[in-house]
Amino acid sequence: MAPSTNAVPQERDDAAPFGRMLTAMVTPMTADGAVDYDGAARLAAYLVDHQRNDGLVVSGTTGESPTTTDAEDERLLRTVIDAVGDRAHVVAGVGTNNTVHTLKLARQAEAAGADGLLVVTPYYNKPPQEGLARHFTTVADATELPVMLYDIPGRTGTPIAPETLLRLAEHPRIIAVKEAKGDMFAASRVMAETDLVFYSGDDALNLPWLSLGAAGFVSVVGHVVGADLHEMIDAYLGGDVDRARRIHRRLIPVTTAIMTRTQGVIAVKAALSLVGQPGGAVRPPLVDATPEFTAALREDLIAGGVKVLEGP
């Protein structure tokens, strides 16, 4: 499918308030580990104008937010907003395991012009559900921006219980969930009983989530197959489930390679290098992809229909 270059200004849609096809954007780095802001601007424009993203998440886990400073996060967010203008929703990742720090990042993101906040479950310290409820509502109270909760217990150690989501749905600014725990039945209950909008946060389950009523995806593989994923969404919502299924199956090699064979940031930065887009190095404790991994990744991308640069 040819990439689209006719992006249109984004308006808030209650059914998909942050857009439908979002990529959790990497933070491009130079060889010495500094943030490559020019590269970030180029990558953001590429994702919107060529990979059909109508939303971007900046400074999420895929953006290596555990290793970036608050000042870097602010400059990066402003850089991306300047690069894409009103052609995409720009959501700032502000979640930490320190409520006070998260409040600071949320207010910083609002001042920088973000369209929304992605707030991950506090990690490592494993708060009880009451602690989660207070954390999320305190952050939502701190700005006028809409909030997407990020439920990923495989990284944080703590799931957001359905009962907690039902409670949080009463907050006027908590409007969406990036779901990456794979509990589809529990999510179905929450969707049936609230107005919370769900986004798939697991690329392997993108198509099944659409069948349950998810608005779209917050993707990692969208860096290189965002246009295909957008086509999948369009096909499914247009009633052509067979076409959506064919796209899903064609992308299996890409999803497998990026999401399961090494850490996701390492893999997707290697993938970006193979398609000629900015990604660069990763920061410790991550390590750059090996030549062997990159060679295998090249074959997986080609198998999934991705056009890669010529090479060995």
Side-chain angles (χ1 to χ4, degrees):
M1 175 179 180
S4 169
T5 57
N6 297 316
V8 296
Q10 300 300 307
E11 296 181 356
R12 185 72 66 193
D13 176 357
D14 289 342
F18 299 104
R20 292 196 180 274
M21 178 58 222
L22 295 85
T23 289
M25 196 178 113
V26 302
T27 300
M29 306 281 187
T30 61
D32 62 359
V35 175
D36 178 4
Y37 296 102
D38 289 340
R42 297 197 309 275
L43 178 60
Y46 170 77
L47 292 174
V48 172
D49 298 330
H50 294 272
Q51 289 294 349
R52 295 191 66 197
N53 284 266
D54 47 19
L56 298 174
V57 174
V58 179
S59 295
T61 310
T62 308
E64 298 179 76
S65 57
T67 69
T68 55
T69 68
D70 294 359
E72 288 173 330
D73 291 341
E74 180 180 25
R75 183 176 173 188
L76 180 66
L77 179 59
R78 292 182 183 275
T79 296
V80 171
I81 292 170
D82 288 345
V84 304
D86 60 2
R87 306 193 309 282
H89 305 281
V90 179
V91 180
V94 299
T96 74
N97 62 350
N98 178 336
T99 302
V100 172
H101 188 200
T102 302
L103 293 175
K104 175 187 175 184
L105 292 175
R107 292 170 178 137
Q108 174 177 284
E110 182 178 42
D115 296 307
L117 305 175
L118 179 71
V119 187
V120 72
T121 308
Y123 39 84
Y124 190 76
N125 41 20
K126 298 184 75 171
Q129 293 299 310
E130 179 62 27
L132 295 185
R134 293 186 189 186
H135 175 82
F136 289 130
T137 54
T138 300
V139 176
D141 285 340
T143 79
E144 295 301 317
L145 295 177
V147 171
M148 181 190 298
L149 308 178
Y150 185 10
D151 192 5
I152 182 166
R155 287 183 181 267
T156 67
T158 307
I160 309 175
E163 292 75 17
T164 304
L165 288 172
L166 294 174
R167 177 179 170 188
L168 291 169
E170 298 176 3
H171 195 290
R173 284 187 291 280
I174 298 176
I175 63 172
V177 180
K178 178 185 176 184
E179 216 285 359
K181 71 183 176 197
D183 192 342
M184 292 183 163
F185 188 73
S188 296
R189 174 193 167 196
V190 174
M191 283 189 272
E193 297 184 23
T194 75
D195 292 327
L196 284 175
V197 177
F198 275 68
Y199 287 83
S200 170
D202 183 348
D203 279 310
L205 298 178
N206 282 340
L207 182 56
W209 274 114
L210 289 179
S211 74
L212 295 178
F217 316 144
V218 180
S219 174
V220 174
V221 301
H223 283 89
V224 291
V225 292
D228 301 276
L229 292 175
H230 201 132
E231 183 182 0
M232 181 199 296
I233 294 169
D234 289 345
Y236 188 88
L237 295 181
D240 194 344
V241 177
D242 186 62
R243 179 166 156 240
R245 187 184 300 116
R246 291 197 302 270
I247 296 168
H248 167 76
R249 290 176 176 173
R250 174 167 54 80
L251 298 181
I252 286 173
V254 179
T255 303
T256 300
I258 291 177
M259 301 307 297
T260 70
R261 292 194 178 141
T262 188
Q263 198 272 351
V265 180
I266 296 170
V268 81
K269 283 195 169 184
L272 287 168
S273 73
L274 291 171
V275 299
Q277 293 300 319
V282 297
R283 282 182 174 174
L286 301 183
V287 294
D288 293 328
T290 65
E292 294 78 12
F293 173 84
T294 303
L297 176 62
R298 171 188 291 277
E299 298 305 314
D300 290 322
L301 294 179
I302 292 171
V306 177
K307 185 177 180 180
V308 300
L309 298 177
E310 293 185 7

